[in-house]
Amino acid sequence: MTASEPTKSAVTAIAHPNIALVKYWGKADGERNLPDVGSISITLDALATRTTVALAESGDHFSLNESPEPAMSARLFGFLDHFYGADRPTLAVTSFNDFPTAAGLASSASGFAALVVAVDALLHGGHSTPTLAQQAGRGSGSAARSLFGGFVRLDKPTGIDDDITVTELCAAADFPLEVVVAITSEQRKTVGSTEGMRTSKQTSPFYPAWIETHEADMAAAAGAIAQRDFERLANISEHSCLKMHAVMQATRPAMLYWNSATVACMHAVHALRASGTGVFFTIDAGPQVKAVCLPEHASAVADELASINGVQRILRTGLGKGARILSQGPN
Ligand code: PMV
């Protein structure tokens, strides 16, 4: 596609990170960034990326939390060239994350989701939300899911020329849950997901089993969500999380994202669930533990996790909406 004549000089969009309950790990096509497996996620509401895209006269410019980010900048503008052509207008992209970046809190998901929505409006691309989800997925596989709110299902392409399909399974209000995030380290992760997925596919002896069993996990989680069955969702989500980490840990070189506080939180969540508290954990490519809770149990879970040695702080969030425009107009 080539760039259309812009009619607005600045657009601000907001997107929230999402966390997968049925995890995505592994690519079918590195070039198009297409996944080897589907995934099911929840979109959060209390954490956000806010991105303003404005027409720029002096070349492309990107800043994140008021700092220039040259490495991310090359990836971001190369991504925009792909969709809008190298003759697109030059852009100033200003992004703010109100949560730690690149620490397993899905900052690239909210980042790419906010970006595609803002740029589409600025360059009046007029793409539908499912198409914007496909675009965002080229930037970061999980970003495709942040275009939608509540519970989101991403299906992998079915044919060689196909793309992903992203749909909302259930709105946030129809199955209310809360997420308590235990931050156990604020450092940026050492192995990024693209590199990690490539080495897992090449070297993890568990990768073929991961692929073989994945569709059944998708069906089980979708069924649990349709029936609002928290206990079943807890079991399948923890299974998918631990299976992904088993694949990562058996990769050469191994990816061990957990620290001692991560493990202590996992045990605490299991003890809480055994005593009747509605909670389960999920963990991504980082050391933070996301405890997914029935809303009436979230305060007890937050108190318990906050008391664990090594937990630096706690974030709490409900489920939220998909990416959307906040404002648009002259710069
Ligand atoms: O979207 P990426 O390339 O950052 O990969 C995300 C991978 C996990 O967060 C570990 C799992 C998931 O499905 O979000």
Side-chain angles (χ1 to χ4, degrees):
M1 177 188 304
T2 55
S4 320
E5 202 52 42
T7 54
K8 313 163 187 98
S9 51
V11 176
T12 301
I14 183 170
H16 304 285
N18 68 78
I19 53 175
L21 303 183
V22 176
K23 301 294 187 188
Y24 149 55
W25 193 252
K27 297 183 199 292
D29 177 343
E31 185 78 13
R32 294 170 67 207
N33 203 33
L34 295 175
D36 243 355
V37 289
S39 48
I40 293 179
S41 61
I42 45 179
T43 302
L44 309 179
D45 71 349
L47 317 180
T49 299
R50 287 175 182 77
T51 296
T52 300
V53 182
L55 298 175
E57 271 156 27
S58 53
D60 290 329
H61 178 76
F62 172 59
S63 71
L64 175 63
N65 295 343
E66 294 186 327
S67 301
E69 289 276 352
M72 282 190 203
S73 177
R75 178 173 169 200
L76 186 154
F77 290 111
F79 167 82
L80 292 178
D81 288 349
H82 177 78
F83 291 107
Y84 291 97
D87 61 341
R88 64 172 169 76
T90 50
L91 300 170
V93 179
T94 313
S95 241
F96 292 92
N97 285 340
D98 61 10
F99 60 97
T101 298
L105 283 177
S107 53
S108 64
S110 50
F112 276 105
L115 179 74
V116 296
V117 168
V119 173
D120 188 69
L122 186 75
L123 302 183
H124 58 80
H127 294 106
S128 67
T129 304
T131 303
L132 290 175
Q134 291 174 341
Q135 276 193 5
R138 293 294 171 89
S140 164
S142 56
R145 303 183 307 235
S146 280
L147 268 293
F148 291 90
F151 292 75
V152 181
R153 176 179 181 130
L154 185 156
D155 284 294
K156 65 178 179 172
T158 44
I160 193 112
D161 294 324
D162 290 343
D163 209 321
I164 54 168
T165 312
V166 190
T167 46
E168 189 174 299
L169 286 177
C170 163
D174 293 337
F175 190 4
L177 297 177
E178 273 202 36
V179 181
V180 173
V181 183
I183 306 280
T184 67
S185 166
E186 306 252 7
Q187 282 170 6
R188 289 189 178 212
K189 63 189 173 192
T190 45
V191 184
S193 59
T194 299
E195 171 67 3
M197 289 183 200
R198 192 181 58 74
T199 52
S200 284
K201 189 167 178 166
Q202 283 173 350
T203 69
S204 179
F206 300 157
Y207 194 82
W210 166 248
I211 300 297
E212 238 166 70
T213 56
H214 205 280
E215 270 309 314
D217 295 350
M218 292 283 289
I225 292 164
Q227 291 170 5
R228 317 288 190 257
D229 186 334
F230 184 82
E231 193 59 35
R232 267 177 68 206
L233 188 60
N235 288 329
I236 192 64
S237 300
E238 284 191 355
H239 175 66
S240 179
C241 166
L242 291 171
K243 194 161 48 174
M244 177 183 77
H245 282 274
V247 171
M248 292 164 158
Q249 289 169 16
T251 298
R252 294 181 173 193
M255 280 161 278
L256 186 54
Y257 287 110
W258 306 341
N259 59 36
S260 55
T262 314
V263 177
C265 289
M266 292 158 78
H267 284 295
V269 166
H270 275 184
L272 283 165
R273 190 147 92 255
S275 67
T277 305
V279 61
F280 64 88
F281 65 72
T282 190
I283 303 161
D284 293 297
Q288 329 305 2
V289 177
K290 292 103 179 196
V292 183
C293 314
L294 290 173
E296 60 272 29
H297 295 159
S299 292
V301 171
D303 289 348
E304 181 69 25
L305 295 184
S307 74
I308 289 174
N309 214 357
V311 171
Q312 298 180 358
R313 62 193 175 104
I314 295 285
L315 304 173
R316 284 180 65 170
T317 171
L319 307 191
K321 296 184 193 159
R324 60 208 181 271
I325 290 169
L326 283 182
S327 64
Q328 46 191 324
N331 197 5

